[in-house]
Structures are given as structure tokens and as C-alpha cells.
Amino acid sequence: MIFETLTGQLSIVITIAFGVLLIVLYPVINKENKYFAWFSLVMGIIVLLLLLWFTFGNEVIRDLILHHGLQ
């Protein structure tokens, strides 16, 4: 039980970090290649939106978050 919770939390943290990394790299990549920079920015936003959609789109997870918070 505890390992399933830790695995779930760790996968969420890794997904958030990956999405934010793609967004933060936009100014650095923009100096070299504008198309790849825009691709990185768009993919970072898509990753974060998909994470939010999968998290809050699930009725059970949404109910648990609303009643118990992010403990």
C-alpha cells in the first residue's frame, strides 16, 4: 500500500518536473532554434495540462482531493 502511494506521488512529481523543464528551457533554446523552442514550450504545456486532466478527470481522485486535501 505504501509503495503504491509513493510510486504515484513520485510519478506525478517527475511529470511536473518534465513539463516545467520543457517550459523553462524555452528561452535557452530560442537563441538557437525557434521552432524547437516553440515545440518545447507547447509540449511542456501539454504535459502539464494532461497531468491535470488525468488527475482531476478521475472522479475518485477528484473526490479524495476535495475531501482530504493533498496530504
Side-chain angles (χ1 to χ4, degrees):
M1 177 73 180
I2 186 84
F3 293 115
E4 293 172 3
T5 305
L6 289 176
T7 304
Q9 289 175 350
L10 195 60
S11 65
I12 290 173
V13 168
I14 290 171
T15 306
I16 290 173
F18 181 67
V20 169
L21 178 66
L22 287 173
I23 293 172
V24 169
L25 285 178
Y26 170 76
V28 175
I29 299 172
N30 197 22
K31 294 177 185 175
E32 301 294 325
N33 188 347
K34 291 188 183 239
Y35 298 113
F36 187 66
W38 277 105
F39 178 76
S40 173
L41 180 68
V42 168
M43 290 308 292
I45 292 171
I46 288 173
V47 165
L48 292 177
L49 289 176
L50 282 174
L51 176 67
L52 290 174
W53 182 48
F54 287 143
T55 302
F56 293 108
N58 188 338
E59 185 176 316
V60 175
I61 295 174
R62 183 176 56 238
D63 187 50
L64 286 173
I65 290 172
L66 291 175
H67 286 304
H68 302 290
L70 298 172
Q71 295 178 2

